[in-house]
Amino acid sequence: TVFLFFVSLTAYGVLTHRALLSGAWSPSGRSNFLTFTICYILAIGAAYVMVSRYVPMILGVLSIVAVCGAVGMGAPAASALFLLSSMVLGRALMFDADRSGQATPLNMIFSVLLGAVIYMTLVGWTAMFPVHYPLVHAVALFIPLIIWQRTAGDCILSIANLFKAHEWKNVWDYGGFALAAFGSIAYLINAVLLPQVNSDAVVLHLAVPSLVAINHDWSFDVSRFVFAVVPLGGSWIILPAYLLGGEFAARLINFSFFLIILALLYLAARRFLSVSAAWLVTALFASTPLLLMETGNIFIENFLVTFLFAAALSVV
């Protein structure tokens, strides 16, 4: 009964997206989305029979292929470099990090967020100076990888282990994971890999890194522009990836933080629930239309939720 309840709510949440999805794929977007859903169900069912152990790896590889095929190699490489550099920098500075081996998933997330906050702070401090060139940011992102080469290798190994062969205890655990993955993949295809069209995101959150890319500094005068004095932490986080990979790199960073939120929610739910129930709670949360709007546009709420949620979990 609990399983059917969660499936019903999640299905309702997904179906409420149809108005947005109709404009995302094509005029016949609703039928395309239903076709995609049916194909996913058939594929995930066949995979459970034949290659269930490798489903996380297969979904990860297919997602990377889809991203590279849609926007090229530059944007994914830029976003991956920022996230890896943040993880290495954060893990090297964490007092409780296990530097001699693989980190736990929660410590991996804390490492990424700590490194991202450090980059955000450095960009904010230097925003007024004309030093923000792609080469400068590329060098800054490679510095942690060069200084802490062993830590970088451990981080890469820890990431790879997330997609290793996994033994599912039962079909419910597998089904819960597949349902959570469905929402993420649907967002990626339907929203993240499309150009930015939301007016608020274009006017502010995307305008800030684009103006810095043009002028190489944040030149807004406080006495003339209100935007010059608003908090810009979210814009500073996406700036390095934007300078190196353009708009889609920034969108992929936002999507990555959405995935981190889901990971944090799953890890928190596992303290009280079984594996299948934790995945279903994660899928239910991911299926809310608000998450589609936030993840499909360059807003700052995903960053705010990630840092606040991670802070709460770190205290726990």
Side-chain angles (χ1 to χ4, degrees):
T1 303
V2 173
F3 174 76
L4 292 178
F5 172 74
F6 277 115
V7 169
S8 300
L9 288 181
T10 304
Y12 173 76
V14 171
L15 290 177
T16 55
H17 297 167
R18 62 179 181 271
L20 293 173
L21 295 173
S22 295
W25 267 345
S26 68
S28 59
R30 181 179 178 182
S31 62
N32 286 342
F33 175 66
L34 293 177
T35 302
F36 168 76
T37 303
I38 294 172
C39 291
Y40 180 85
I41 293 173
L42 295 176
I44 212 71
Y48 179 74
V49 177
M50 297 182 291
V51 290
S52 62
R53 298 175 67 247
Y54 304 101
V55 166
M57 180 191 306
I58 294 173
L59 291 179
V61 171
L62 291 179
S63 298
I64 294 174
V65 171
V67 171
C68 294
V71 302
M73 298 288 293
S79 57
L81 174 61
F82 174 78
L83 294 171
L84 177 61
S85 181
S86 298
M87 179 181 291
V88 173
L89 177 60
R91 185 174 179 184
L93 298 179
M94 282 178 63
F95 292 105
D96 60 344
D98 179 11
R99 302 181 189 179
S100 62
Q102 301 172 23
T104 63
L106 197 56
N107 267 356
M108 292 171 61
I109 294 174
F110 289 161
S111 299
V112 172
L113 300 184
L114 176 59
V117 165
I118 292 173
Y119 282 126
M120 177 192 74
T121 304
L122 292 176
V123 172
W125 285 350
T126 61
M128 66 194 75
F129 302 107
V131 297
H132 294 280
Y133 293 85
L135 180 60
V136 173
H137 280 260
V139 171
L141 292 177
F142 272 108
I143 287 177
L145 306 183
I146 297 174
I147 295 178
W148 296 291
Q149 296 183 22
R150 180 176 179 181
T151 302
D154 292 339
C155 289
I156 294 174
L157 183 60
S158 298
I159 296 172
N161 281 329
L162 295 177
F163 301 96
K164 66 180 181 180
H166 182 79
E167 296 290 347
W168 306 98
K169 293 183 178 180
N170 51 60
V171 67
W172 305 111
D173 292 355
Y174 177 83
F177 167 79
L179 196 59
F182 170 76
S184 302
I185 295 174
Y187 287 175
L188 181 65
I189 296 175
N190 286 277
V192 177
L193 299 181
L194 295 174
Q196 182 61 258
V197 295
N198 179 275
S199 57
D200 179 57
V202 171
V203 170
L204 178 58
H205 304 300
L206 189 60
V208 172
S210 64
L211 287 174
V212 173
I214 295 171
N215 301 318
H216 309 298
D217 67 340
W218 180 238
S219 56
F220 270 31
D221 187 348
V222 177
S223 64
R224 297 182 60 192
F225 300 100
V226 175
F227 284 177
V229 292
V230 300
L232 294 175
S235 298
W236 300 147
I237 287 179
I238 66 174
L239 178 63
Y242 182 91
L243 291 177
L244 297 176
E247 175 188 334
F248 285 107
R251 295 174 70 81
L252 288 172
I253 292 295
N254 186 37
F255 178 72
S256 300
F257 273 72
F258 162 72
L259 296 180
I260 291 176
I261 294 173
L262 298 187
L264 289 172
L265 179 59
Y266 171 78
L267 293 173
R270 277 291 290 127
R271 297 170 60 91
F272 311 99
L273 304 174
S274 64
V275 172
S276 57
W279 278 124
L280 288 173
V281 168
T282 305
L284 176 63
F285 174 76
S287 69
T288 55
L290 177 62
L291 266 294
L292 174 61
M293 182 182 70
E294 294 292 343
T295 306
N297 298 285
I298 301 178
F299 293 140
I300 63 169
E301 281 73 20
N302 278 350
F303 301 111
L304 294 176
V305 170
T306 302
F307 288 122
L308 291 171
F309 197 2
L313 289 183
S314 68
V315 172
V316 172

